[in-house]
Structures are given as structure tokens and as C-alpha cells.
Amino acid sequence: MTDSPPPLVRFENIQKSYDGRILVVKDLNLNVAQGEFLTMLGPSGSGKTTCLMMLAGFEPATHGEIFLKDQPINRVPPHKRGIGMVFQNYALFPHMTVAENLSFPLEVRKMDKPERERRINRALEMVQLGEFGDRRPAQLSGGQAQRVAVARALVFDPDLVLMDEPLGALDKNLREQMQYEIKHIHENLGVTVVYVTHDQSEALTMSNRIAVFNDGVIQQLAPPEDLYEKPLNAFVANFIGENNRLLGRITGVNGDSCTVDVDGGGSVVANSINIGGEGARTTLSLRPERVAINPEPGSLPNIFDANVEELIYLGDHIRTRVAVCGHDDFVVKIPNSSHHASLEVGNSVKVGWNVEDCRALDSSD
């Protein structure tokens, strides 16, 4: 067996405080592999952007050490770290042409003119802007400007590229298009990317792994599918995608499953993931697309009476809000290919789900 290569980036016991009292990053330990696309995801104030700024060198760590290619970089200034950066506001020089913007980081590195021109042309072709070298930033659309910013971050072949909410200023369609373009650039080049966003769908689309931050701590670090399908705590379950949350008390534990009396009525059998013992409070997590409408009697272990409160047509599915187990905000996503004649507001229906689709997690009372 061969040893796995060392990580490109390593955070060791990193803490950050701005006032000497409150830690905005608490004892962070995180490795980023060579060639990985890792996203730091979380709400505002969770510590994700601070971590990126410390890695870039724009903020000093209060405690701990950051390593790049096994070399400590806490005392290395930003311009000597060899890291590419892409910001939300593009940060292009308005008085320079596109080609001159891309040339700037190459001139700083004292590359000769033929090599600069070769790299500029390659970078512009990479982002499909080969004919835009003579334009100025004011002549570009938002999407084009963001492509130039990505090209400038890649033009000098950095080992690492950092992206801080780079698509936040774009409209929905353009943002989704850029997600795929950045993902394909990453796949084609194999460059390591650390990406910061608060947009869950963006993180799920682009990342090899996602670090979910809250209150300065990584709540879960996992591939996108695991985060969505297998959240380890109530915060991650609620933050990643849409989620039905039922609070209750554990009345029995049997191996990998438990029975929970839900506040408001109903006894649910759930998958035991992160719970206390019998009598402890818990949060049940259940994805809307895993709930069946009017299942056959006895076909599922959890079947309850419900009342249809709202129907919203969303093209590929119908978002159905029902009242069940004393909760009137329970959501079921029904594929548009499924037809349920009983789906009218005010009608009584049955809803049901499997044990493995309902995760019993820590209490979020």
C-alpha cells in the first residue's frame, strides 16, 4: 500500500477573534486535497469567509497554523502565497483592457511578453472570451466580467484558487450557467478550489466536498450526496435543501431505530442517528420527496391522516403542504408525472414514509 499524498492545504487548530473575546472561528482542523473542489457553506456570520480570508492572507489567525504544500504560511504576505482569488465584485481594473487585466499577475511574476501572450490567449479561450481581449470591463456584461475574473485567477497556473461568493451578483439563470462553467474548468484543469457561498444548491452542484459551518464550527464535512441524504445533526438537515422537521420525545430504542412521540400527536418510527436515550428530546428530519401520498394500507411503517392545506404547481413537481401530526407546515413534493385526483385543498389524504427516510437527530428545541 502507498501512502496517500499530503493535503495541499491544512488548517491546524485555527482560531480567530476580532475583539480578543468572541471566537468567530473555533479550533478549525481541515485538510484540502490536491485537485479538490471544497466549498465552505454556511449562513452569514458562520465563519466561512473569515477562514477564506485567513487562507488568502488578508486576515491573521489568532491561534494555530495554516499550511500550504506542507509549508507554514501564517507569516507569508498574500502576494507571495501564489494563490488565485475571485471576488463577488470581480475586482477588475477599469482602466485596463481585458488582456491587460490578465497580464497584470504575469507581469508581477516577471514573465516575458511571448509567455504572457500565450497564457492570456489560453486563459481567454478557457472561459470562451477569445475575442474580448481588447474590451474594457465597462463594456462587459456581468457574466463576461466574472469569466474574466476567473481567467485572471487561473492565468498564472496557481496551485490554489479561492472564490468568495463569486456568483452572488448574477441573476439566477446566469448564476446557474456559471456554476457549470466553473465546475467544468475545475474538472479540466485539476486545479484546487476553495469556494465560499451561502447558496446550498450552488454548493451541491459544484463541490467534491462541502464543509457546513455554523457558529465558527464545521458541523459536517462530506460529499454533497451524503450531506443531503445523511445529515448528522438538525442544523445540517435544515440548512441543506428543504426538510420537514418534527420535534418529539423518544419513547423506545430498538437497535438502529427508535419510536418518537411527536409534539402535536402521532408516534413515528425513525432511523436513530444522533439521539439520547429513552425520554430524550429529538428532531425528526424527513425530505419532502420521500413522503408518499395515499400509500397502500400497511405498505409503509409510518402512515398518518393528513389534510391538504396548499397546492403550488412548480412545473416538474407539485409542492403540497399538508397538516399532519399537529403540524400544518409539512411539505410533500409530488412528481408531476404522478396523478392524485384527491389532491385538492381541504381534502383528507394519507401520508406515509419509510423508517430509513426519517432521521432522528439532536434536539433543536
Side-chain angles (χ1 to χ4, degrees):
M1 292 180 63
T2 58
D3 293 333
S4 59
L8 180 70
V9 175
R10 193 165 84 246
F11 291 85
E12 279 196 3
N13 307 119
I14 291 295
Q15 296 181 354
K16 175 63 178 178
S17 174
Y18 290 104
D19 60 6
R21 296 182 300 108
I22 299 172
L23 290 175
V24 295
V25 176
K26 304 172 183 176
D27 202 30
L28 174 69
N29 290 280
L30 173 65
N31 292 343
V32 183
Q34 178 77 47
E36 182 174 22
F37 195 120
L38 182 132
T39 295
M40 295 178 173
L41 173 70
S44 298
S46 60
K48 61 189 188 300
T49 298
T50 299
C51 290
L52 195 79
M53 291 299 103
M54 288 190 288
L55 179 54
F58 300 137
E59 288 288 349
T62 305
H63 176 79
E65 187 70 66
I66 301 173
F67 295 85
L68 179 61
K69 293 195 291 187
D70 259 352
Q71 299 299 312
I73 59 171
N74 281 26
R75 285 156 290 283
V76 177
H79 66 280
K80 292 188 176 180
R81 296 190 181 193
I83 295 174
M85 282 288 302
V86 183
F87 299 95
Q88 179 174 336
N89 64 356
Y90 319 137
L92 301 177
F93 298 118
H95 62 287
M96 293 183 179
T97 65
V98 166
E100 289 168 344
N101 266 278
L102 267 61
S103 180
F104 182 76
L106 305 178
E107 293 172 18
V108 169
R109 289 163 177 80
K110 304 194 184 312
M111 290 186 187
D112 60 34
K113 186 175 181 180
E115 178 64 10
R116 291 202 308 268
E117 290 179 350
R118 185 187 72 82
R119 287 178 178 246
I120 290 167
N121 291 333
R122 183 190 64 175
L124 287 176
E125 291 298 330
M126 185 191 311
V127 296
Q128 301 171 38
L129 291 175
E131 305 299 320
F132 287 71
D134 293 332
R135 297 196 187 184
R136 295 187 185 275
Q139 298 172 295
L140 303 176
S141 68
Q144 291 165 348
Q146 193 55 279
R147 284 189 180 94
V148 173
V150 170
R152 188 179 60 182
L154 295 170
V155 71
F156 61 94
D157 292 334
D159 293 308
L160 176 65
V161 175
L162 309 183
M163 299 191 180
D164 184 20
E165 303 272 9
L167 309 182
L170 306 180
D171 63 53
K172 182 178 184 294
N173 289 340
L174 187 54
R175 188 165 66 244
E176 290 176 354
Q177 179 186 341
M178 284 298 299
Q179 287 172 18
Y180 291 117
E181 291 193 11
I182 292 173
K183 179 181 176 71
H184 294 152
I185 289 170
H186 167 257
E187 291 170 346
N188 292 334
L189 295 182
V191 66
T192 307
V193 177
V194 177
Y195 193 98
V196 162
T197 183
H198 64 273
D199 186 314
Q200 302 96 319
S201 63
E202 193 167 286
L204 292 171
T205 298
M206 304 173 74
S207 316
N208 300 130
R209 287 192 304 162
I210 302 171
V212 181
F213 278 76
N214 188 44
D215 194 26
V217 176
I218 294 179
Q219 302 293 314
Q220 189 171 348
L221 174 64
E225 183 177 346
D226 285 354
L227 277 183
Y228 185 84
E229 301 289 351
K230 302 173 183 177
L232 295 181
N233 63 37
F235 176 83
V236 174
N238 289 325
F239 193 75
I240 302 289
E242 193 164 13
N243 180 63
N244 288 307
R245 187 180 68 157
L246 301 173
L247 304 182
R249 190 172 301 279
I250 299 168
T251 57
V253 180
N254 183 17
D256 292 336
S257 66
C258 62
T259 304
V260 176
D261 280 356
V262 176
D263 300 348
S267 181
V268 174
V269 183
N271 195 3
S272 301
I273 302 299
N274 180 8
I275 63 171
E278 191 169 323
R281 299 284 295 170
T282 188
T283 304
L284 299 179
S285 169
L286 180 63
R287 298 296 184 189
E289 67 273 15
R290 298 303 172 87
V291 182
I293 291 278
N294 288 332
E296 291 293 325
S299 62
L300 295 171
N302 296 295
I303 296 180
F304 301 95
D305 293 321
N307 192 71
V308 179
E309 302 289 322
E310 183 181 48
L311 296 171
I312 300 177
Y313 178 82
L314 291 170
D316 60 344
H317 73 277
I318 298 171
R319 189 179 187 274
T320 307
R321 182 168 60 84
V322 302
V324 63
C325 297
H327 294 70
D328 63 2
D329 57 354
F330 192 92
V331 174
V332 185
K333 288 183 179 177
I334 303 171
N336 206 10
S337 57
S338 302
H339 300 286
H340 293 275
S342 58
L343 277 185
E344 293 183 11
V345 173
N347 282 11
S348 295
V349 295
K350 300 279 189 181
V351 296
W353 57 85
N354 279 309
V355 172
E356 56 267 27
D357 292 325
C358 186
R359 297 171 70 83
L361 304 170
D362 54 298
S363 172
S364 60
D365 288 348

